[in-house]
Each structure stands twice: as C-alpha cells, then as structure tokens.
Amino acid sequence: MSVSTSSCAVAKQCLMAESGVEQIELLNAHDDIHGGVVVDMKDQPMDSEVFGSLLKASLSEWRQKEKKGVWIKLPIELSNLVHAAVQEGFTYHHAESDYLMLKRWLPETVDTLPANASHRVGIGAFIMNNKREVLVVQEINGRFKDTGVWKMPTGAVNEGEDICAAAVREVKEETGIEAEFVEILAFRQSHKSFFRKSDLFFVCMLKPQTFDIQEQNQEIAAAQWMPFEDYAAQPFVKQNKLFDYVAEICLAKTDEHYTGFTPLATTTSSGKASYLYFNHRDMGGLLTSDKQQ
Amino acid sequence: MSVSTSSCAVAKQCLMAESGVEQIELLNAHDDIHGGVVVDMKDQPMDSEVFGSLLKASLSEWRQKEKKGVWIKLPIELSNLVHAAVQEGFTYHHAESDYLMLKRWLPETVDTLPANASHRVGIGAFIMNNKREVLVVQEINGRFKDTGVWKMPTGAVNEGEDICAAAVREVKEETGIEAEFVEILAFRQSHKSFFRKSDLFFVCMLKPQTFDIQEQNQEIAAAQWMPFEDYAAQPFVKQNKLFDYVAEICLAKTDEHYTGFTPLATTTSSGKASYLYFNHRDMGGLLTSDKQQ
C-alpha cells in the first residue's frame, strides 16, 4: 500500500519497505519522562489477536527508538487482552479492582521501573477518659475472636487517607465515640503480614470528646471503658512483648513524661497537601509559628 | 452418570439429581478462617473454557454453602484464564510480577475483604561528619535532574525490608559510605504519589563510619560532603516548607536538643520479628532493660 506521509494517523507509522512506502498500524502511546512509553488503551472492546499484532509491531518500533520501560494499563473490561500482552513478554506490575497494569523493560540494562506499593498501614487508638479508663473493644472475627481479649480499636488506613484521620474514623466507626487526634506514640514495622506485603502499624493517642459508647460496626462484638490497669494486666498483653511495651508507653504518655510525633499540615515540593509528623515538644518554635491545622 | 459417593475426589461433588446421583467436577479449593474459599490453582496449563465451566459450577456450590469471599491466585503462566474469571464476576485484588490475585464477594452484605497494599515507603538519610558537613548527592534522573540541587540520599524501602536497614543500604549504594542507623527524626505522609498509592517518607539520622565517597550507583551523578549551612541555604530548600522544616529538625538533632524514634527489635503477637519505633529518651528504662539489638 502506498500512502503519503501526511496521511499517517497517531497510531500509524510510515516505513520505507522494498516495495515502496508502507504503512503499519501501531498502538496509541505517549512518552513518559523516564525514557519509556505509556500505551493509551481505551475502554472500547478490542480483539485479542488484533491487539497482539499491534503490540508486536509497536514493540519493534519502540526497540528501534531505544525506549526503556513500556506500560500498559488494561481496564478490567479488556481482560481478554491480558494473555496476549503476557505472550509478548509483559509481566504484571500492580492491579486495582478495575484495572491491571502490565510492564515490560526493553533494554539489556537492569530494570529500574518503580516497585509496586509495598506496605499496608494500620492504626491502633489509645483513648483514655478522666477516670483513667481506656476505650476497648472485642472483635467478631479475626485472631481475637472468642478469646475474651479486650483490645484498643484498630483498623486499616485507606489509600489516600491521613493516619490522623484514619484513627479518628476507626474509633467513631467501632464505638461511636468522637475523638480528637493528639499524637503518634510509636509504630511497628512487620513483614509478610498479608501475602508478601509488609505492614506499618501506628499507635495513636486520641482525646475523647464524647463518652457514650454505641457499637456501630458489624466487626465489633462489644466495647467498653475499662480501667487501664485491668487492660494492661490481661494475660495476652503481659505475655506479648509488643503489647506490653505499647501499654508502658501509653502509661508514660498518660503520666505526661512521654512525647511522640505530632502532625503538621504542610505541602510537598510538588505542591501536594501533606502531613509532617515529628516531636513537636523538641521543636516548639517551628510549630508555634507555622502550625496550620 | 451414576457413581457411588465414595468415589468422589477432592475436586468432585456428588449431587442428587432427578436422574439419580450425579457427579460434577469443581475446582480444588480450601476454606479460609474468614468464612471464605481459596481456589488452589496449579501451574499446569488449563483450557480457559474448561476453567470457566468449573468455576461456574464451583460458584454455585459455594453460594449454597454460604461462603463469603472467594480468592483465585493465577500464576502468570495461566494468564489465559484471567478473562474467564472476570466473566464470572471476579475483580482484581492485587498483582505481583508473577501472579494476579482475583476475588469475588458472594453474599449480599458489604464486602469486608482486606484491601490491597496502599502505601509505598521511602527514606531520606541525614548524615553529618564531625566538620558539620552533610552527605549530599545529585541524581541523574527524576525531578532534580540538571537542577544543581544537592539533596540527601533517598530511596525506596523494599517489601520485607526494615526502614533502618533500607537507610543504611541506600547510603552505601549511592555513596559507598558505611553508616550506623541512629534515629527516625520525622516522617511525611502524602497521597497519589504513584498511580493511586500513598507514600510514607521517613527522615533518618545515620552516623558515618567511613568518610571516603565512592559513587557506586548508576542513579547518582555526584556526591560530596557539604557544609550544613550551604545545604540548608539552597533556594530549593528555603523555598520548600517541607525541606526547610526537615533541615531545622536535622539541625536541632545535631545540636542535641531533639529526640526522634529509635527502633527496638521485638516480636509481634504471632511471633514474627519486628521493630517497634518510639521515643527512647522518654522511655529510657524500657530500652535499657530490653534492647535486643
């Protein structure tokens, strides 16, 4: 087929072949700032064989142009194309409920594409009233089911959610108590907690603003205010070093000789709202002049 | 087909049909502790139509048994089965380079399956020698490319890697300097930093054990020891609140009136090795008696 170069669409490439000017079709794609290529898939249905041929031709083109990483984000509506991409040497990078991200590194050099998200983040909430009673719950499912253990409210920090906001939300969801975030007292990092993922768990101190417990969450079997000494004396807490340490730290905080990290609302270098957590007592001046909360 | 119940294999199920006892084939699966089912896929090739029929029959069976969440982990070698699973109502849960995890929630109730990993974790390393010079680098790629900005060594914490170990490793990789981990001075949480994922960035103080810089990493254009005042006076640092705050905190630490969080090696309730990070100065007794590092 002989066409003029001016008729080439975005997804088409004109090549000189022995027979003259030849036009081949390629996948729509744009360059990224790291020398790579991002394929622009639409939600519209595509036949997997057509996709496979386009991908093969495109890869050949990108190799000639010395492109590095190639990214294909396939909406779940195009799950019929996953196999064709894998057959062309792509591996999975990450997935969310509605899409799968595939990648391929073209050069001979070491793959420097960024890794998938590596950590889940959780919070535990330490909340005490003015009778030195701590807010505790029993869960319906999970490890502590039917053990009689009373534990502090805990939960997962959502993607896009601030740690301080997650702590306030979880307490409200599990017990109906309104509370104000005070401080991160400590945190724990552990590994292989969920498939291959690592885990960061932040122990947060909150100050209650209401006191009437209303179990609002289907995950909670019971909730109560419990004397701190009774909480800390539970065999489960005493026998478990991590829980025992955390109880000691909470007690030190209650007795006002412990300082954790407090959030300061600020912005990242690219202008995104962000919290910086640090020891505000030791940096009092900085917080006094700039606290934006 | 009429067979005796005793001949039913793991993947087979005997049902009373109008015509008598009928045997249907189901996918191999085992129960999880949350009332759900985990499908046991092998790496062996399977035809996608066969898989689709087995899955349909299995889903019908699991619904009758009132199962909740169904999990299918498909090795990348079985990418030909992804589409069939999606057609049976599965969505993606997460993916690693070599597998895709699919899930489906069967009851009418709210889906309580755990979320995918939500955060990437990074470190920045503050290292000063005894001339009050700080270790800084210039990067070959990324946002700071060709800007002339000198920044602290930074990098990603790998899945399964401790924050304190990641800081020591990155410094060694980028500059050849051997260093000892001292403390987490502060951390920042930001959102939508990488696709939809959130980001936790820990500013770590390390103590240098060697001083001769050897740029060993293909990501680094240059490295040097720089007077702290020159680092902090860079327009980029002064104009960026977050960098400016961090520089102030580092200076406070250098002048010995700031305490961050120090790691204590311990174990989780399920027996896994884990670090607890907290303000050790305020909890001196606990660290003195129990430090296991």
Side-chain angles (χ1 to χ4, degrees), chain B residues 5-17:
Chain B
T5 52
S6 65
S7 74
C8 293
V10 177
K12 291 175 179 172
Q13 179 73 22
C14 296
L15 294 177
M16 291 301 294

PDB file of all heavy atoms in Angstrom, chain B residues 5-17:
ATOM      1  N   THR B   5     -20.925 -42.484  46.157  1.00  0.00           N
ATOM      2  CA  THR B   5     -20.361 -41.282  46.778  1.00  0.00           C
ATOM      3  C   THR B   5     -18.910 -41.482  47.172  1.00  0.00           C
ATOM      4  O   THR B   5     -18.139 -40.535  47.195  1.00  0.00           O
ATOM      5  CB  THR B   5     -21.158 -40.887  48.040  1.00  0.00           C
ATOM      6  OG1 THR B   5     -21.254 -42.021  48.868  1.00  0.00           O
ATOM      7  CG2 THR B   5     -22.521 -40.364  47.666  1.00  0.00           C
ATOM      8  N   SER B   6     -18.529 -42.714  47.487  1.00  0.00           N
ATOM      9  CA  SER B   6     -17.164 -42.935  47.963  1.00  0.00           C
ATOM     10  C   SER B   6     -16.114 -42.681  46.880  1.00  0.00           C
ATOM     11  O   SER B   6     -14.950 -42.516  47.170  1.00  0.00           O
ATOM     12  CB  SER B   6     -17.003 -44.355  48.501  1.00  0.00           C
ATOM     13  OG  SER B   6     -17.185 -45.260  47.437  1.00  0.00           O
ATOM     14  N   SER B   7     -16.539 -42.622  45.624  1.00  0.00           N
ATOM     15  CA  SER B   7     -15.564 -42.414  44.554  1.00  0.00           C
ATOM     16  C   SER B   7     -15.303 -40.930  44.276  1.00  0.00           C
ATOM     17  O   SER B   7     -14.549 -40.592  43.391  1.00  0.00           O
ATOM     18  CB  SER B   7     -16.032 -43.090  43.255  1.00  0.00           C
ATOM     19  OG  SER B   7     -17.075 -42.329  42.697  1.00  0.00           O
ATOM     20  N   CYS B   8     -15.959 -40.032  45.048  1.00  0.00           N
ATOM     21  CA  CYS B   8     -15.783 -38.611  44.786  1.00  0.00           C
ATOM     22  C   CYS B   8     -14.395 -38.127  45.185  1.00  0.00           C
ATOM     23  O   CYS B   8     -13.981 -38.299  46.324  1.00  0.00           O
ATOM     24  CB  CYS B   8     -16.827 -37.795  45.557  1.00  0.00           C
ATOM     25  SG  CYS B   8     -18.479 -38.086  44.943  1.00  0.00           S
ATOM     26  N   ALA B   9     -13.686 -37.514  44.280  1.00  0.00           N
ATOM     27  CA  ALA B   9     -12.363 -36.971  44.570  1.00  0.00           C
ATOM     28  C   ALA B   9     -12.513 -35.586  45.197  1.00  0.00           C
ATOM     29  O   ALA B   9     -13.604 -35.051  45.304  1.00  0.00           O
ATOM     30  CB  ALA B   9     -11.550 -36.877  43.285  1.00  0.00           C
ATOM     31  N   VAL B  10     -11.414 -35.015  45.592  1.00  0.00           N
ATOM     32  CA  VAL B  10     -11.425 -33.700  46.248  1.00  0.00           C
ATOM     33  C   VAL B  10     -12.165 -32.679  45.388  1.00  0.00           C
ATOM     34  O   VAL B  10     -12.943 -31.893  45.879  1.00  0.00           O
ATOM     35  CB  VAL B  10      -9.985 -33.212  46.508  1.00  0.00           C
ATOM     36  CG1 VAL B  10      -9.995 -31.820  47.124  1.00  0.00           C
ATOM     37  CG2 VAL B  10      -9.246 -34.188  47.397  1.00  0.00           C
ATOM     38  N   ALA B  11     -11.902 -32.740  44.105  1.00  0.00           N
ATOM     39  CA  ALA B  11     -12.445 -31.720  43.225  1.00  0.00           C
ATOM     40  C   ALA B  11     -13.798 -32.106  42.660  1.00  0.00           C
ATOM     41  O   ALA B  11     -14.305 -31.478  41.751  1.00  0.00           O
ATOM     42  CB  ALA B  11     -11.476 -31.438  42.098  1.00  0.00           C
ATOM     43  N   LYS B  12     -14.368 -33.179  43.205  1.00  0.00           N
ATOM     44  CA  LYS B  12     -15.657 -33.608  42.656  1.00  0.00           C
ATOM     45  C   LYS B  12     -16.719 -33.566  43.733  1.00  0.00           C
ATOM     46  O   LYS B  12     -16.437 -33.656  44.919  1.00  0.00           O
ATOM     47  CB  LYS B  12     -15.522 -35.025  42.085  1.00  0.00           C
ATOM     48  CG  LYS B  12     -14.640 -35.015  40.843  1.00  0.00           C
ATOM     49  CD  LYS B  12     -14.378 -36.405  40.325  1.00  0.00           C
ATOM     50  CE  LYS B  12     -13.508 -36.302  39.067  1.00  0.00           C
ATOM     51  NZ  LYS B  12     -13.052 -37.606  38.613  1.00  0.00           N
ATOM     52  N   GLN B  13     -17.926 -33.435  43.329  1.00  0.00           N
ATOM     53  CA  GLN B  13     -19.022 -33.265  44.270  1.00  0.00           C
ATOM     54  C   GLN B  13     -20.188 -34.111  43.792  1.00  0.00           C
ATOM     55  O   GLN B  13     -20.542 -34.071  42.624  1.00  0.00           O
ATOM     56  CB  GLN B  13     -19.415 -31.791  44.279  1.00  0.00           C
ATOM     57  CG  GLN B  13     -20.544 -31.441  45.186  1.00  0.00           C
ATOM     58  CD  GLN B  13     -20.144 -31.463  46.655  1.00  0.00           C
ATOM     59  OE1 GLN B  13     -18.969 -31.342  46.969  1.00  0.00           O
ATOM     60  NE2 GLN B  13     -21.098 -31.645  47.528  1.00  0.00           N
ATOM     61  N   CYS B  14     -20.756 -34.915  44.696  1.00  0.00           N
ATOM     62  CA  CYS B  14     -21.894 -35.746  44.295  1.00  0.00           C
ATOM     63  C   CYS B  14     -23.200 -35.051  44.641  1.00  0.00           C
ATOM     64  O   CYS B  14     -23.381 -34.565  45.746  1.00  0.00           O
ATOM     65  CB  CYS B  14     -21.826 -37.084  45.024  1.00  0.00           C
ATOM     66  SG  CYS B  14     -20.360 -38.001  44.540  1.00  0.00           S
ATOM     67  N   LEU B  15     -24.083 -34.954  43.713  1.00  0.00           N
ATOM     68  CA  LEU B  15     -25.355 -34.284  43.911  1.00  0.00           C
ATOM     69  C   LEU B  15     -26.489 -35.244  43.545  1.00  0.00           C
ATOM     70  O   LEU B  15     -26.382 -36.048  42.633  1.00  0.00           O
ATOM     71  CB  LEU B  15     -25.454 -33.049  43.008  1.00  0.00           C
ATOM     72  CG  LEU B  15     -24.490 -31.902  43.294  1.00  0.00           C
ATOM     73  CD1 LEU B  15     -24.694 -30.824  42.244  1.00  0.00           C
ATOM     74  CD2 LEU B  15     -24.718 -31.355  44.695  1.00  0.00           C
ATOM     75  N   MET B  16     -27.599 -35.128  44.275  1.00  0.00           N
ATOM     76  CA  MET B  16     -28.782 -35.885  43.904  1.00  0.00           C
ATOM     77  C   MET B  16     -29.509 -35.093  42.836  1.00  0.00           C
ATOM     78  O   MET B  16     -29.944 -33.972  43.071  1.00  0.00           O
ATOM     79  CB  MET B  16     -29.710 -36.039  45.126  1.00  0.00           C
ATOM     80  CG  MET B  16     -29.149 -36.940  46.221  1.00  0.00           C
ATOM     81  SD  MET B  16     -28.808 -38.631  45.668  1.00  0.00           S
ATOM     82  CE  MET B  16     -30.496 -39.178  45.337  1.00  0.00           C
ATOM     83  N   ALA B  17     -29.594 -35.678  41.663  1.00  0.00           N
ATOM     84  CA  ALA B  17     -30.364 -35.024  40.594  1.00  0.00           C
ATOM     85  C   ALA B  17     -31.587 -35.887  40.326  1.00  0.00           C
ATOM     86  O   ALA B  17     -31.715 -36.982  40.875  1.00  0.00           O
ATOM     87  CB  ALA B  17     -29.522 -34.891  39.340  1.00  0.00           C
TER      88      ALA B  17
END
